[in-house]
Every structure is written in C-alpha cells, then in structure tokens.
Amino acid sequence: MKVRKAVFPAAGLGTRFLPASKAIPKEMIPVVDKPVIQYIVEEAVASGVEQVIFVTAQGKSAMEDHFDKAYALEDLLDKRGKQKMLGDCRDLWTRVEVVSVRQHEPLGLGHAFACARNVVGDEPFLGMLPDDLVDNPGYPCAKQLVDVYNKYQCSVVALMKTPRELIDKYGMVVSKPVSDNVVQVFDCVEKPKPEDAPSDLGIVARYLFTPEIFQALSETKPGAQGEIQITDAIARLARKGRVYGCIFKGERFDAGDKLGYLQATIHYGLKHPELGAQFKAWLKNLVQGI
Ligand code: G1P
C-alpha cells in the first residue's frame, strides 16, 4: 500500500528553546528563510506524501496558518507582480493537504501518535519529528524509509550511530544487519544509560509505521518519564519480528536544540541559492579572524 500520510507530533511546549519559543511554536522558528517545519513538510512531499497530519496543542495555530492560503497577501503580491514570492506562498497550501488534531494532554510521543489514529486510518504512515532536520536532497530520509517499507512491509525506524555521551537522549536498538544499510530490529529501549545500551544504533526523528503500531500503543503503559513512549510500542512490534531499521544517509541537525539550530542555520545558509556565496565569503573571513 502506498505511503500517503505523515504524522508530525508538534504539541510540545518547546522548553529547550526558551525564550524564543514562548509565544511562537518552536517549529515556526526560521532556519535562514523558512520555518523548521517547512523543511520537514517538503521532505515529506518529496517522499510521496499527500497529507500531513499535525498533532498540535493550544498556541500552535501559526503552523496551520503557515500552510493555509493567505488571501490578502497573495492578492497583494499578484497586484505588485511579485510572481516568485506568490509561487512560494501558493506552494505551501497547494502541494499538500494539512490536517490537524489536538493532543489534549502531554502524555508522551507515543500518545501523540495515537491521537492521529482516526485520521490515519488503516494504512502505513510516516512519523516525522518536526524539529529534526535531515538534509539529503537527492534521496530524502523519509523516502529511504519508504523504500525499506516497500521491500519488507514492516515498520521502519531511521537509525544513526550514536556517540556514547548522547545515548541517554535516544531510543537504542538491538538489531542484526540484513543488507548494506538495513537492519532487522529485535528490541529497543528508551534513553538507556550508556552502560546499559544494547548497541550504539539510536532511533532518530523519522519512523514509518504500519497500522499495527496503534494496537501496540494501546497496550503500552507509561514508561520513561511517566510518558507513553513510542519506543516501547516499537519494542512490542520488534519482538514479533515486525520492525526494520534504515541507517539513513544524510546530514542531521537537531534544530530543537540551540547548538543544533545554529549548526543548521550555517549549513542551510551556505547552501542557499541566493545568499550562499556571499554568506560563505563572510564566514571565511570571520573564521580567519577567530
Ligand atoms: C524522541 C524519542 C527517542 C528518539 C528521539 C530522537 O525523544 O522518544 O526515542 O530517539 O526522539 O529522534 P525526544 O527527543 O523527544 O526526547
């Protein structure tokens, strides 16, 4: 079955990004000239997604507005002959359908995915964490997961070799290689201490779930931090042989973290079609002076 939908859990308060995220959703903070979430919606669209489902909360409606038609703005741009800007604004609401559902209580990432159950229905879907950027324009990370799903018809998690000092920030997996960059996952554990980690492969930011995940979530009790963890539901499926992992290719930035955000800004600034060359010259000069 074709993967047509992507769920974005975006109800969090963004405390890692305060004070910037106090009055605007952290997903709307721009990297160069686009909000972080736009990069990830574009990755979804480039991977074949036709509908994105935002799981949101109070104070987050700027995300829906961003992907809606802004009639007065488009009318003004049209009258002024600003066709490029007009095209960019129209792309936001014509290329993908945006649906949103509410997560009424902050009960964890697993709970956030469960909130999208009725909108997803009985089909496979991507799970994309909206503060994690993965850059690979030739082969988007979400598309890499879709390709693994198409081959094995199981849920798939994006995996990355994780430095020891970061292991307690990620879901870590037990797995065995099946090909170059694909593994079968047998178990996983949420944010273990480095000495308890089953391997150095961590789950990062992108998931592809079969509808089985909803049953697994309904059987999952609150785990680490008293929250319903998606990692615990994935572990249930993994123990039944229903999960694969894709060691993705691409540069990943945790844009929900201040340092990761700065690194993403430099990375995308250097690649920007209009600003990149000038920015690079300025940056070179700056670095020489440090
Ligand atoms: C979440 C997941 C964790 C995953 C991580 C990175 O943690 O719970 O398993 O490894 O995202 O994408 P969070 O960063 O929300 O604390």
Side-chain angles (χ1 to χ4, degrees):
M1 199 170 182
K2 186 177 182 297
V3 180
R4 303 180 305 142
K5 301 187 179 191
V7 175
F8 286 51
L13 291 173
T15 49
R16 284 194 297 161
F17 226 99
L18 284 168
S21 54
K22 181 164 178 263
I24 53 167
K26 68 169 177 183
E27 296 82 0
M28 287 301 295
I29 292 173
V31 168
V32 190
D33 55 1
K34 292 189 283 198
V36 173
I37 197 165
Q38 188 178 332
Y39 288 85
I40 302 161
V41 170
E42 285 171 358
E43 179 190 330
V45 172
S47 305
V49 165
E50 294 159 14
Q51 183 187 68
V52 300
I53 301 157
F54 294 159
V55 181
T56 72
Q58 291 206 357
K60 293 272 179 149
S61 49
M63 291 188 299
E64 288 131 340
D65 288 346
H66 186 70
F67 293 94
D68 193 3
K69 177 166 177 158
Y71 180 81
L73 175 65
E74 290 188 12
D75 189 48
L76 183 88
L77 292 173
D78 195 23
K79 283 190 178 127
R80 294 194 177 163
K82 307 270 186 200
Q83 295 309 315
K84 163 84 175 73
M85 284 181 198
L86 180 61
D88 289 347
C89 287
R90 281 199 176 143
D91 276 352
L92 290 167
W93 60 273
T94 52
R95 297 185 63 205
V96 68
E97 181 188 19
V98 172
V99 175
S100 73
V101 295
R102 292 275 168 148
Q103 182 181 20
H104 299 293
E105 292 173 275
L107 299 180
L109 186 56
H111 177 255
F113 280 116
C115 292
R117 182 176 192 160
N118 290 338
V119 187
V120 169
D122 195 23
E123 57 180 283
F125 64 100
L126 282 155
M128 303 180 73
L129 304 191
D131 47 13
D132 261 297
L133 294 166
V134 186
D135 189 26
N136 184 343
Y139 193 12
C141 182
K143 179 72 171 78
Q144 296 176 42
L145 267 58
V146 169
D147 288 345
V148 176
Y149 164 76
N150 285 338
K151 187 155 180 198
Y152 296 99
Q153 303 290 309
C154 285
S155 293
V156 188
V157 291
L159 295 173
M160 176 183 90
K161 274 205 186 319
T162 307
R164 197 176 155 80
E165 66 277 12
L166 296 179
I167 280 177
D168 63 358
K169 293 189 164 39
Y170 294 97
M172 304 299 296
V173 304
V174 181
S175 65
K176 126 178 155 221
V178 294
S179 69
D180 227 13
N181 62 328
V182 179
V183 298
Q184 186 168 4
V185 176
F186 298 104
D187 206 348
C188 47
V189 48
E190 179 69 357
K191 302 188 174 120
K193 290 189 194 133
E195 56 274 26
D196 300 331
S199 74
D200 64 352
L201 281 181
I203 304 174
V204 181
R206 303 287 183 269
Y207 307 85
L208 196 153
F209 294 122
T210 62
E212 294 166 303
I213 195 68
F214 293 122
Q215 180 62 31
L217 277 168
S218 70
E219 292 161 3
T220 300
K221 303 269 171 310
Q225 286 121 33
E227 296 181 343
I228 298 173
Q229 297 293 346
I230 192 66
T231 307
D232 295 342
I234 296 168
R236 283 175 177 273
L237 298 183
R239 288 182 218 122
K240 294 181 190 158
R242 299 287 303 147
V243 181
Y244 283 75
C246 170
I247 303 166
F248 65 90
K249 297 190 171 71
E251 275 185 84
R252 179 249 176 179
F253 302 92
D254 179 2
D257 167 81
K258 289 178 186 176
L259 183 61
Y261 171 79
L262 274 178
Q263 291 162 341
T265 302
I266 305 269
H267 174 84
Y268 287 98
L270 287 171
K271 291 182 66 163
H272 192 280
E274 285 133 43
L275 307 169
Q278 244 181 307
F279 182 51
K280 188 174 188 175
W282 175 84
L283 195 61
K284 264 191 178 159
N285 208 15
L286 179 82
V287 170
Q288 275 159 14
I290 291 177

